[in-house]
Amino acid sequence: MTRLRSVPRDLYAAAAAVLLVAAAILVGRHVYTYDDLIVGWPPLLGRWDPHLGPGTPAAVLVAAATAAYGPAVAARLPWRALLPAAWGAAMAWTWSLALIDGWERGVARRLTTGQEYLTVIDRWRDVPATLRDFNGHILLHSPDNWPAHVAGHPPGATLTYVLLDRIGLGGGGWAGVWTITVGATGCVAVLVAVRALCGERLARRAAPFLALAPAAVWMGTSADGYFAAVAAWAVALLALTVTGRSLWWTAGAGLLFGLTCYLSYGLTLFAVIGAAVLLLGRRGVRERPVMFVPLLAGTAVVPVAFTVIGFDWWEAYHLLVERYYEGAAGVRPYAYWVWANLACTVLITGLATVAGLRRAGVVLIRRRGDGGARTEDLRLAFLVAAALLALLVADLSGMSKAETERIWLPFALWLLPACAFLPRPRPRAWLTAQAVLALLLNHLLATGW
């Protein structure tokens, strides 16, 4: 009865989220101008462009199959089979959404436009020299200044695509394949972490929602999907270690966290989620405090390598802040984006996640229960709350004015497990709502940048 009575409250939370998105659209279109917000369809960076494409039938089929059979399959498959199945479903969903815009527009040209990483590949013939000189091209008035996305990230992001080019996988097509394939593994990483920290029951219930996330609209078209996967695996490996796995996993977690910080400055906030993992696994930490040695050693590898070559991360970050406010950030109003960014988060995580977050909040407030299942619920609610806290810090910082539908993809992955709290009789309805949102966004808008 308690669960049935709470269903209308889930709907109230979803309705409030819809109102937030509607307010962001109306205020963005009628109170501000394009010159104020510098986005074509506020709060999203895109434009109105109703269309169908070759990926449309596949996207509808994947959505229908996952919504209809996903919960049952996730409940019954052996765990080792569930992980590749979730990855496959996430891949199918992301690819089909990307191909709604066709191969060229939806995949091959995404990372080759004027502000993207592949436009500067030819400038990296001498990688060490380019890294040493990287900071000299961040500011807008600097000679041969980097395009926006290159200047806006540490060089690890661009270097990834440079290395792909060097091994013979050059061009936008291979870059798109890499981004979608690696990005889809983020779903698996979150499942691994949730199972390790919160139990298999909740991980299985979260699996269909991770595979069918509206975030896939941007996961397949932005390098931030790749960043999200790297950060997610850093957390997953840390979760495995604190729950008793080999200390080598800790070194891997540290290595990936160090890489994460050299893919995106803002993802240093993943330290908040990492701290939550350490707190949830504090028993394992107390039993094996030596795990901090490989963790810190692994974390140091990437920063030390870049520093020895000659790239100064701190100087680059301060130069980026200066460039940021020289450009769009100096125009975009904080008073709008500080709440409109949250509307973007609703669009990438879906109404089901909003309802799940409401239930996670209830779990944290009540903090009752002496049974194992209730303890697991509390642990998952705490993990999700840590991700939400990291996202809110990013929001309040003012360093993410607009474009958060892609920039916050790494945080969005860790909000989606809140859907595991949704009541058992209704997961198909919520999954359908998730899929419909993604299909509408991808068919009604051109979401490039």
Side-chain angles (χ1 to χ4, degrees):
M1 287 298 292
T2 302
R3 284 188 173 184
L4 292 177
R5 285 198 301 268
S6 67
V7 168
R9 295 176 186 173
D10 293 339
L11 298 180
Y12 296 151
V18 170
L19 290 175
L20 175 65
V21 173
I25 294 171
L26 293 173
V27 172
R29 293 183 67 84
H30 299 291
V31 175
Y32 296 99
T33 67
Y34 175 84
D35 291 334
D36 295 324
L37 303 181
I38 318 181
V39 295
W41 202 84
L44 300 176
L45 183 64
R47 68 179 189 277
W48 183 256
D49 181 26
H51 61 285
L52 298 174
T56 297
V60 172
L61 180 62
V62 171
T66 306
Y69 303 107
V73 171
R76 296 171 185 169
L77 269 185
W79 179 254
R80 289 188 177 181
L82 177 59
L83 293 180
W87 182 30
M91 283 267 287
W93 180 231
T94 307
W95 269 109
S96 60
L97 289 173
L99 290 173
I100 288 171
D101 295 323
W103 169 257
E104 284 297 322
R105 178 181 165 187
V107 179
R109 290 208 308 260
R110 288 291 186 172
L111 294 171
T112 64
T113 56
Q115 303 301 326
E116 285 286 2
Y117 304 97
L118 268 64
T119 59
V120 300
I121 295 295
D122 290 342
R123 293 173 60 179
W124 287 75
R125 292 188 178 90
D126 186 335
V127 171
T130 305
L131 286 174
R132 289 192 294 271
D133 194 39
F134 188 88
N135 292 356
H137 303 283
I138 292 177
L139 296 178
L140 278 174
H141 55 74
S142 60
D144 296 322
N145 63 80
W146 296 118
H149 286 190
V150 178
H153 295 82
T158 308
L159 190 56
T160 298
Y161 296 102
V162 171
L163 294 177
L164 282 176
D165 183 77
R166 294 290 174 84
I167 64 173
L169 303 179
W174 282 115
V177 169
W178 165 269
T179 301
I180 293 174
T181 304
V182 175
T185 68
C187 161
V188 180
V190 176
L191 289 177
V192 168
V194 170
R195 180 178 185 255
L197 296 169
C198 314
E200 191 170 311
R201 175 183 64 91
L202 291 172
R204 288 179 177 275
R205 293 184 63 172
F209 292 94
L210 282 157
L212 202 63
V217 172
W218 292 272
M219 289 286 286
T221 60
S222 164
D224 295 83
Y226 154 52
F227 306 161
V230 174
W233 280 109
V235 175
L237 296 184
L238 183 60
L240 288 174
T241 306
V242 300
T243 52
R245 299 297 180 90
S246 168
L247 292 178
W248 287 108
W249 293 119
T250 318
L255 181 65
L256 291 180
F257 178 68
L259 175 58
T260 297
C261 294
Y262 278 73
L263 294 174
S264 175
Y265 297 103
L267 295 188
T268 54
L269 287 171
F270 257 72
V272 175
I273 303 175
V277 171
L278 291 174
L279 187 58
L280 290 172
R282 56 191 177 276
R283 177 180 298 178
V285 173
R286 285 196 297 266
E287 291 174 353
R288 297 193 299 173
V290 70
M291 72 174 58
F292 285 104
V293 175
L295 177 63
L296 295 176
T299 301
V301 170
V302 173
V304 167
F306 274 90
T307 302
V308 168
I309 292 173
F311 171 72
D312 188 328
W313 190 98
W314 283 105
E315 179 189 50
Y317 175 72
H318 290 298
L319 289 171
L320 166 64
V321 173
E322 186 176 342
R323 169 161 175 167
Y324 189 53
Y325 283 95
E326 285 177 342
V331 177
R332 287 170 171 162
Y334 181 86
Y336 173 78
W337 288 111
V338 74
W339 60 272
N341 282 338
L342 301 180
C344 291
T345 305
V346 172
L347 293 174
I348 63 176
T349 59
L351 298 180
T353 304
V354 173
L357 288 173
R358 186 202 72 80
R359 287 175 175 265
V362 171
V363 170
L364 288 174
I365 291 170
R366 291 180 178 173
R367 293 201 302 180
R368 294 177 185 169
D370 48 7
R374 291 188 178 181
T375 300
E376 291 173 356
D377 288 352
L378 181 58
R379 293 168 70 84
L380 178 59
F382 182 78
L383 181 63
V384 169
L388 182 59
L389 174 61
L391 183 148
L392 292 175
V393 171
D395 188 30
L396 293 174
S397 73
M399 286 298 291
S400 299
K401 295 180 183 177
E403 304 180 55
T404 52
E405 64 269 20
R406 64 169 181 83
I407 297 171
W408 288 355
L409 287 173
F411 303 114
L413 281 183
W414 294 93
L415 300 181
L416 290 164
C419 296
F421 292 124
L422 295 174
R424 271 314 269 184
R426 296 176 180 266
R428 290 186 180 88
W430 285 114
L431 280 167
T432 300
Q434 298 286 88
V436 168
L437 173 60
L439 290 170
L440 286 174
L441 287 169
N442 220 348
H443 282 94
L444 296 179
L445 300 176
T447 56
W449 36 84

